[in-house]
Amino acid sequence: MSDVVITIISRPLCAFFEWFGELGVFCSRVTRAAFHSPWEGLELLRQMDAIGAKSFPLVALAGAATGVVLSLQTRDSLTRFGAKALLPEVIVFSLIKESGPVITGLIVSGRVGAGIGAELGSMRVTEQIDAMEVSAVDPYKFLAATRVLACLCMLPLLTLAADSCGIILGWISATLASPITLQLFMHRGLQDATLSDFLPSTFKTVVFGLIIGFVACFQGMRTKGGTEGVGRSATSSVVISSLFIILADVILVRLIQVFFPS
Amino acid sequence: MIRTKSNSQPIFVQKLHKSFGSQTVLQGVNLATVQGETLVVLGRSGTGKSVLLKLIVGLQQPDSGSIRIHGHEISGLATEGLNEIRKKIGFLFQQAALYDSLTVEENVAFPLARHTSLRDSERRDRVHRLLASVGMEKELTKMPSDLSGGMQKRVGLARALALDPDILLFDEPTAGLDPITAAEIGELIVKLKKERNLTSIVVTHDVHGARSFADRVILLREGKVVFDGPFSQLEQSVDPFVVRFMKDAA
């Protein structure tokens, strides 16, 4: 009986640690490939377009919606405490410090993570990745490193887009309830802001980009089991990268507080 | 990179063993080819024929044994060294494995763009010649999904020939094709052998096709070579397994 219990517990535990070990090996292999010639510049640009430019509308919309919701929700609370004048500051700070980066990370994880997981998974099960290796082209460089680098570069830019759209739509929402010029709204919103409020929180999305790129490429390239496996890879890419983004955010927020105190 | 005495043998495999978990796939396989020879590997499904090809090209690592390509030991070789050897080997996959985001022309140009210093116009000319050699010169701008199975195999063959290899490996080149298309692929294999003096290993179930393009046949059973000789000898064999295999394949 105890043997059965040990087996039931140890199997998933072993699989869990095995997965982390394989992910570590994969990350080191992709990182090594990324820093060695030949450079796949064209493929990197193609991926930056696919990951960055094509995610822009979705990220901008999510940022805008967050700005509107923040404006609607906080107005009542601030009015109740007699601090309505702080509304621009609350919207701007909430967006640039937390909502913008996290929402961008999660949206890109959903759109891009699933896409990469499914695309590489499909390439794996149809032997396209094997064909690439046989052609003496390193798939860890051509397929994985380019996608990871593209995620890493595009996440901060997309975060800026989400922040900007959120602030503008937050202002529109605020001004519909109580007219205020954009200039005054921005002045109030940014009057106490410093670079240490803005830069660390924007650039923490580089870590989110790394997480999305590495996890989605890893899940895609280890796909097994035909089309069903491709579906599993796409789903697990989104689930795991979203989970890691949330966990990483907790750690990064604390680190930012320590190294960039207000 | 270890260089051995067997340079005259393009492919030399000795005591090759491979298992996946508790399933033993290859048990001490030995084979050697001579330049310009077409070796056909026959056997029932699951006897390790495709695994043998993947081991030869370094896509999988053997548990033990030796694989030498033109005298270079490849088992345990680092990726850089392995890639140099891979440039001299063409591989036609069972489902052709064309890159589905690229056109026919881009598929064939893919290895050329990475391993040659050809100018765009020279590369385009070479791609057109390669596609013409497999009868696909009119399908340049088509996507792989717009091609039939036979057409995909032809494009896959053109891509496999792009770097002018001297070894060509075929994994089930006629599988899933109608008899006429399968015969056309068989004719292509013979034509390539004549024109380029290629050393080929063809893994197949197609005994009729094998008769037309095989110089020599090996038959695998439970991961072991149970027959090695010309096709005519295979047909005359009295070994019960060989007799049954040929009878079932007929």
Side-chain angles (χ1 to χ4, degrees), chain B residues 13 15-20 23-31 41 46-56 60-64 67 218 220-225:
Chain B
V13 172
K15 294 178 184 168
L16 200 62
H17 289 260
K18 179 70 182 172
S19 302
F20 295 101
Q23 189 195 357
T24 303
V25 181
L26 297 176
Q27 299 184 66
V29 169
N30 297 311
L31 70 87
V41 182
T47 49
K49 303 187 296 297
S50 296
V51 171
L52 177 64
L53 287 191
K54 287 184 177 174
L55 289 168
I56 289 172
Q60 290 173 0
Q61 287 298 314
D63 297 336
S64 64
I67 302 166
I218 65 170
L220 288 180
R221 183 190 186 190
E222 292 169 4
K224 290 177 182 164
V225 176

Side-chain angles (χ1 to χ4, degrees), chain A residues 33-103:
Chain A
F35 291 104
H36 282 90
S37 63
W39 316 111
E40 298 288 353
L42 273 177
E43 180 62 13
L44 178 62
L45 284 176
R46 205 175 73 82
Q47 290 305 326
M48 284 169 104
D49 174 53
I51 290 165
K54 293 197 170 109
S55 297
F56 174 78
L58 195 60
V59 167
L61 187 68
T66 310
V68 173
V69 170
L70 269 175
S71 177
L72 293 173
Q73 292 278 24
T74 50
R75 162 173 288 281
D76 285 346
S77 311
L78 290 173
T79 305
R80 201 174 297 167
F81 297 115
K84 206 175 87 178
L86 290 176
L87 183 64
E89 216 164 343
V90 170
I91 292 174
V92 170
F93 267 69
S94 299
L95 275 165
I96 65 172
K97 290 195 81 144
E98 190 55 32
S99 308
V102 170
I103 283 171

Side-chain angles (χ1 to χ4, degrees), chain A residues 64-203:
Chain A
T66 310
V68 173
V69 170
L70 269 175
S71 177
L72 293 173
Q73 292 278 24
T74 50
R75 162 173 288 281
D76 285 346
S77 311
L78 290 173
T79 305
R80 201 174 297 167
F81 297 115
K84 206 175 87 178
L86 290 176
L87 183 64
E89 216 164 343
V90 170
I91 292 174
V92 170
F93 267 69
S94 299
L95 275 165
I96 65 172
K97 290 195 81 144
E98 190 55 32
S99 308
V102 170
I103 283 171
T104 304
L106 293 175
I107 292 281
V108 175
S109 149
R111 185 191 167 272
V112 174
I116 293 175
E119 186 185 8
L120 298 192
S122 161
M123 289 184 77
R124 169 61 76 197
V125 300
T126 55
E127 296 183 313
Q128 291 176 55
I129 294 179
D130 287 346
M132 202 169 276
E133 277 193 74
V134 169
S135 299
V137 175
D138 184 0
Y140 290 89
K141 176 192 285 290
F142 187 81
L143 296 174
T146 51
R147 281 164 173 79
V148 172
L149 282 173
C151 285
L152 184 152
C153 296
M154 297 320 289
L155 256 285
L157 296 177
L158 288 168
T159 304
L160 288 179
D163 290 351
S164 309
C165 291
I167 289 170
I168 289 169
L169 265 290
W171 164 70
I172 291 172
S173 175
T175 204
L176 285 174
S178 166
I180 178 172
T181 63
L182 178 62
Q183 198 181 6
L184 183 59
F185 184 88
M186 293 304 288
H187 174 71
R188 282 188 185 164
L190 295 170
Q191 63 187 351
D192 292 325
T194 61
L195 279 181
S196 65
D197 291 315
F198 170 71
L199 291 179
S201 52
T202 302
F203 282 100

